[in-house]
Amino acid sequence: MALVELDSLIPLNTPTTRRSRWLCRLRRLAFAMLGLAIVALILDRLFPLPLPDPHRGSTVVLARDGSPLRAFADAQGIWSYPVALEDVSPLYVEALVTYEDRWFWHHPGINPVAALRALGQLIGNGRIVSGGSTLTMQVARILEPHSRSFAGKLRQSLRAVQLEAHLSKREILELYLDNAPFGGTLQGVEAASWAYLGHSSKQLSHAEAALLAVLPQAPSRLRPDREATAARAARDKVLERLATLKVWTPAAVQDARVEAVIARTLQAPLSAALLARRLHHDHPRQRRIATTIDIELQRSVQDRVSSYLERLPERTSAALLVVDNKDLSALAYVGSALFGDEARLGHVDMVRAWRSPGSTLKPFLYGLALDDGLIHSESLLVDAPQSFGDYRPGNFDSAFNGPVGAAEALRLSLNVPAVDLLDRVGAARFTARLANTGLQLRLPRGVEPNLSIILGGVGARMQDLAGAYAALNRNGIGGSVRYTADDPLIERRVMSAGAAWIVREILEANPRPGYRPGTFDTGSRPRVAWKTGTSYGYRDAWAIGGTNQYTVAVWIGRPDGTPLPGQYGAVTALPLLFQVVDSLPRTVLASVAQAPPESVGEIEICWPLGLAFDEGRAEQCQQKHTAWTLDGVVPPTFAERDARTWSAGLVHVRIDARSGQRLSPGCAATAVKEIDILRWPALAYPWLSQAQRKQSSLPPLAAQCAADGLESSQELRIDGIADHSSIARAPNSDKPAIVRLRALGTTGAVAWLVNGRLEATTESTQTWEYAFAETGEQTITAMTDAGRWAQVRIRVLR
């Protein structure tokens, strides 16, 4: 009895007791939640998200506008173009989220309502009817494929929650955009858009957005390139949903329904293929490589090169590079004639191949000589047979022009004046100067810089040549060609602004082949400073030119170095250069000459001395020329290199006023007169007119005077035919008339020229035969290295 009374005294439901019980429950719940959190954290660490490596997978190389140039599949052959959310059409995002997961922006990875509905269908039907999958769950399944069993769905749901815990909604959606399956080897909306629709996913219409939103549901059954009807039905289902939910207006949906589903044949992009391969190799972990290439220009140039090569011999390849002078970015890059063409070795990238540059280095030599004060634009140079040690260069056509101005020598690409100029500048210095500007030259192993480099006896790369040629339209500053927007602008001075202007003016004044002054109206065409080059044995044909906006380089040949007889720069590469230049976008300033910089002046100079014209000494000007000078420097004509041939350009002599004969020192006469004789370089005399020769000849030495050393010690004569003779082939014979000649009065080498064209070189009095295939007046000239010469004129009758 006492115990019962005691129990009845204990309060069982007081507020204090209730608070204690709630606190106990909350503590248990907190501990349970903490335990679940710890378990979740442990599981998260034990089973991390299988997120794709952002640096692995397929790679796409893009043009400057985002168009794909070329894509590189991953190890499984999957093509995917990574894309950011802001680079996808908002219409696609609306269609995707509305159709697949309206509550995507709000749920924690799983949609509880959809999950309960799916569970009820499972219980009621004994099988999975609908999965209730959210976009996050779909991403989870893409990242970690699993079966459609209950266990698989559970694992997918857990992964979805894990995704939401680690990533933002934007990041999850971008994973879907990049990895959703779209049929075949296509993965991601951007790859699907380019493959099926031919443009970026940023430019989708309502109908296209709806189509791409539904494709991942059944990518094999709904591929528009194979199942256009099924794809259209699925698309219209999406449109109906968007109209019902009033996401899109009825008018927009109605217009979208009318739009057909075009079945396109899937074809991987392949523009600037060799540049894409090159950049992919240089940036192997970069999945999107944005280049500076203009896709429309690239396609146009590729087509132009392909059609142009149809007229050339088989196995011929070509390379072409278009550079924007503003920032040295490459706008078009054709590394070979046709990528993948085995016969043309289409896999070889000739833009960065080492090839002989032919004569394309000559403008830089003349620019350096201008900066050194060695020449002005009309400096007197001599194009005649001569030796430089054991090197004896000739011109491309074997003809010689005698005295020429520097500008004409550059425009005609004459070899002997260029070698002469390089000999005075120094081959090693010239090579080092070019290397410092970024134009690397490759010599054969063990070979030092020599005079042959100016004629192509060295290796160079097109990309380096283009970067250096750009200096002609960039105030003398060239640099490295840029291929991606991230490439730094590396600029180097190639020559002074004044020298660049003069060289460009010289090259722009060179008329296009087939264009004579006054024949065509070229006022609307861009001004082009162009230069061609041909390597030894017709292995490389070059044409490089620049306008005030662009620099274009063209190479044609065979990548294996096989000769192409008869194919050279002016006839093979130059027409393609002008086709491309004329097709480039241009401003009205492209055809307007640029004003010279302050360092450039225009003066009248005189030959043979090469000095400025002086009104007070007009008698010292046999030929007057208008020249461009740099910094006011007017250098005289080069003295002959060899002491044996040297003579002063201006010779002061005493003559007998009565007889006109020359007086040597110490020789007296009744009346003495002093005169100045203008002397041309010795090698130029065979090309002078009779009046010029007479004007520059020394008066004969008076008989009573001792020798003064001004005359050559021995006269050169041609033996075998007399001057002004006539010859003819034998009667009833089809063999041409032949003469046998020899030079008398020398013990060294003798160069034989017929009508200015070098035909042979003999030693001492060795006999030389020549057959005259053409009739008419012919001029035969014999020249020694010392500048002594003899000449006969004959007539070939038949």
Side-chain angles (χ1 to χ4, degrees):
M1 188 66 182
L3 290 174
V4 172
E5 291 175 354
L6 182 63
D7 288 343
S8 64
L9 297 176
I10 300 175
L12 299 177
N13 195 25
T14 64
T16 303
T17 305
R18 288 196 299 269
R19 283 197 299 272
S20 298
R21 283 199 292 265
W22 276 108
L23 287 174
C24 183
R25 291 170 185 169
L26 287 175
R27 282 195 295 270
R28 290 173 183 171
L29 180 61
F31 281 118
M33 293 181 64
L34 179 60
L36 288 174
I38 293 173
V39 170
L41 181 61
I42 293 173
L43 292 175
D44 182 67
R45 294 298 179 92
L46 292 176
F47 303 98
L49 281 171
L51 295 175
D53 186 346
H55 301 298
R56 301 189 66 178
S58 60
T59 298
V60 59
V61 182
L62 306 170
R64 60 171 54 193
D65 66 349
S67 303
L69 296 173
R70 186 181 179 188
F72 297 87
D74 63 13
Q76 287 73 42
I78 300 297
W79 304 81
S80 175
Y81 305 169
V83 66
L85 181 59
E86 60 268 15
D87 293 329
V88 176
S89 170
L91 295 177
Y92 173 76
V93 177
E94 287 177 350
L96 175 66
V97 173
T98 301
Y99 188 72
E100 292 286 354
D101 186 2
R102 281 188 294 158
W103 307 104
F104 170 73
W105 300 107
H106 307 288
H107 62 63
I110 57 175
N111 186 335
V113 176
L116 289 174
R117 183 183 66 245
L119 180 60
Q121 292 171 339
L122 173 62
I123 296 172
N125 295 277
R127 60 184 179 86
I128 295 177
V129 177
S130 64
S133 294
T134 63
L135 276 175
T136 309
M137 292 173 67
Q138 293 182 43
V139 171
R141 183 170 182 177
I142 291 171
L143 298 180
E144 189 176 57
H146 57 78
S147 66
R148 296 183 63 86
S149 64
F150 178 79
K153 278 293 181 179
L154 178 60
R155 183 170 184 175
Q156 180 184 15
S157 301
L158 293 174
R159 284 297 194 190
V161 174
Q162 191 180 14
L163 278 169
E164 294 280 352
H166 283 274
L167 304 177
S168 67
K169 290 289 187 179
R170 173 194 172 93
E171 291 171 327
I172 293 171
L173 189 54
E174 286 185 340
L175 282 174
Y176 183 89
L177 298 180
D178 285 347
N179 297 280
F182 280 87
T185 57
L186 294 176
Q187 181 175 286
V189 65
E190 184 73 357
S193 183
W194 280 107
Y196 294 129
L197 306 174
H199 56 73
S200 171
S201 60
K202 196 171 187 176
Q203 303 166 336
L204 297 177
S205 66
H206 288 79
E208 293 169 337
L211 174 65
L212 294 183
V214 76
L215 277 184
Q217 281 198 348
S220 298
R221 290 190 296 104
L222 301 179
R223 281 181 58 168
D225 60 323
R226 296 179 180 176
E227 304 292 343
T229 303
R232 180 166 187 163
R235 179 204 68 182
D236 290 348
K237 185 178 178 182
V238 177
L239 292 173
E240 183 179 354
R241 174 80 61 84
L242 291 163
T244 301
L245 296 175
K246 298 181 180 181
V247 177
W248 291 348
T249 65
V253 170
Q254 184 60 33
D255 290 341
R257 285 178 178 275
V258 176
E259 191 172 316
V261 173
I262 305 298
R264 288 171 50 91
T265 301
L266 298 186
Q267 187 174 6
L270 204 62
S271 296
L274 290 173
L275 173 62
R277 183 185 71 183
R278 169 181 180 176
L279 295 176
H280 180 47
H281 177 271
D282 293 343
H283 307 280
R285 295 177 60 81
Q286 194 168 330
R287 296 194 61 199
R288 287 173 59 92
I289 303 175
T291 72
T292 61
I293 296 297
D294 183 313
I295 186 62
E296 296 300 329
L297 178 60
Q298 177 69 31
R299 290 169 179 165
S300 172
V301 169
Q302 285 183 178
D303 292 343
R304 193 177 295 276
V305 170
S306 297
S307 60
Y308 185 82
L309 285 181
E310 292 177 359
R311 70 190 74 173
L312 296 176
E314 62 179 6
R315 296 190 293 116
T316 303
S317 188
L320 192 147
L321 188 62
V322 180
V323 178
D324 190 336
N325 291 335
K326 180 176 61 179
D327 58 3
L328 295 177
S329 59
L331 300 178
Y333 186 113
V334 180
S336 66
L338 184 61
F339 178 72
D341 187 334
E342 293 184 7
R344 300 180 188 272
L345 298 182
H347 63 283
V348 180
D349 187 354
M350 300 309 297
V351 169
R352 55 175 181 168
W354 292 95
R355 305 292 293 198
S356 166
S359 296
T360 59
L361 299 179
K362 289 176 181 175
F364 307 116
L365 172 62
Y366 282 79
L368 178 57
L370 283 164
D371 279 330
D372 284 351
L374 294 177
I375 60 171
H376 48 65
S377 69
E378 293 300 325
S379 288
L380 174 59
L381 305 176
V382 181
D383 181 36
Q386 55 180 307
S387 296
F388 301 86
D390 56 357
Y391 185 50
R392 192 176 183 87
N395 286 323
F396 182 76
D397 59 0
S398 299
F400 291 91
N401 299 267
V404 293
E408 184 180 10
L410 177 55
R411 281 194 292 266
L412 297 179
S413 196
L414 301 178
N415 288 343
V416 175
V419 174
D420 184 13
L421 197 56
L422 180 61
D423 188 43
R424 299 173 191 274
V425 168
R429 177 169 173 260
F430 178 65
T431 304
R433 182 70 175 269
L434 289 184
N436 189 56
T437 67
L439 178 49
Q440 296 288 339
L441 302 180
R442 176 179 287 182
L443 288 158
R445 187 182 299 275
V447 176
E448 297 296 326
N450 55 73
L451 298 181
S452 71
I453 63 175
I454 202 59
L455 306 186
V458 70
R461 298 182 297 185
M462 173 185 282
Q463 60 184 14
D464 297 336
L465 286 168
Y469 263 83
L472 299 181
N473 283 281
R474 302 180 80 247
N475 295 318
I477 298 176
S480 301
V481 178
R482 301 169 57 247
Y483 300 112
T484 72
D486 296 331
D487 287 344
L489 178 59
I490 301 175
E491 297 178 306
R492 299 181 179 92
R493 180 162 294 282
V494 178
M495 60 187 78
S496 69
W501 188 93
I502 294 174
V503 172
R504 186 183 69 245
E505 187 73 12
I506 291 171
L507 296 179
E508 284 183 348
N510 204 9
R512 299 187 182 200
Y515 283 60
R516 292 186 178 181
T519 305
F520 299 95
D521 179 13
T522 59
S524 61
R525 292 182 178 270
R527 292 172 62 88
V528 185
W530 59 273
K531 183 73 184 71
T532 61
T534 307
S535 68
Y536 177 77
Y538 300 97
R539 289 174 170 83
D540 305 275
W542 292 90
I544 306 179
T547 68
N548 59 357
Q549 292 178 268
Y550 311 102
T551 297
V552 181
V554 176
W555 170 90
I556 293 178
R558 287 176 176 158
D560 61 2
T562 306
L564 280 170
Q567 304 295 330
Y568 51 94
V571 301
T572 306
L574 189 59
L576 179 57
L577 171 75
F578 283 124
Q579 286 182 24
V580 173
V581 168
D582 290 342
S583 70
L584 295 173
R586 58 179 179 269
T587 65
V588 294
L589 297 178
S591 57
V592 178
Q594 300 181 36
E598 294 182 358
S599 58
V600 175
E602 188 177 27
I603 65 168
E604 291 183 322
I605 61 95
C606 295
W607 284 5
L609 299 182
L611 300 177
F613 174 72
D614 186 349
E615 288 281 0
R617 298 183 179 180
E619 73 282 355
Q620 295 186 4
C621 194
Q622 289 191 12
Q623 283 189 25
K624 189 185 295 183
H625 298 267
T626 302
W628 296 109
T629 62
L630 187 60
D631 298 323
V633 177
V634 186
T637 298
F638 289 142
E640 278 97 351
R641 179 178 297 96
D642 196 327
R644 297 175 301 166
T645 64
W646 184 88
S647 64
L650 185 64
V651 180
H652 186 78
V653 296
R654 297 164 56 248
I655 62 171
D656 187 328
R658 295 181 178 178
S659 65
Q661 295 180 325
R662 188 172 80 254
L663 301 174
S664 60
C667 189
T670 304
V672 178
K673 180 181 178 181
E674 296 187 356
I675 62 173
D676 291 327
I677 305 294
L678 300 178
R679 301 284 285 173
W680 291 72
L683 293 172
Y685 275 82
W687 284 269
L688 299 180
S689 66
Q690 187 173 359
Q692 288 174 323
R693 292 174 188 170
K694 183 177 181 180
Q695 191 176 1
S696 296
S697 298
L698 292 170
L701 186 64
Q704 73 276 14
C705 296
D708 56 7
L710 296 179
E711 297 279 14
S712 298
S713 60
Q714 193 174 19
E715 182 183 2
L716 187 70
R717 291 188 300 110
I718 295 178
D719 180 49
I721 193 169
D723 196 18
H724 300 295
S725 299
S726 296
I727 63 173
R729 67 175 182 268
N732 301 322
S733 174
D734 58 355
K735 294 182 179 180
I738 297 177
V739 295
R740 294 178 177 83
L741 307 172
R742 62 175 178 167
L744 302 178
T746 182
T747 58
V750 178
W752 294 92
L753 295 87
V754 177
N755 300 324
R757 184 185 298 273
L758 180 65
E759 298 293 347
T761 300
T762 62
E763 290 295 329
S764 187
T765 57
Q766 180 183 354
T767 301
W768 174 61
E769 292 186 357
Y770 186 77
F772 288 91
E774 298 180 0
T775 60
E777 298 288 340
Q778 311 283 342
T779 301
I780 305 171
T781 306
M783 293 187 66
T784 69
D785 290 341
R788 292 187 291 121
W789 61 280
Q791 195 171 76
V792 294
R793 295 178 176 83
I794 64 173
R795 176 182 291 274
V796 180
L797 301 179
R798 63 174 186 270

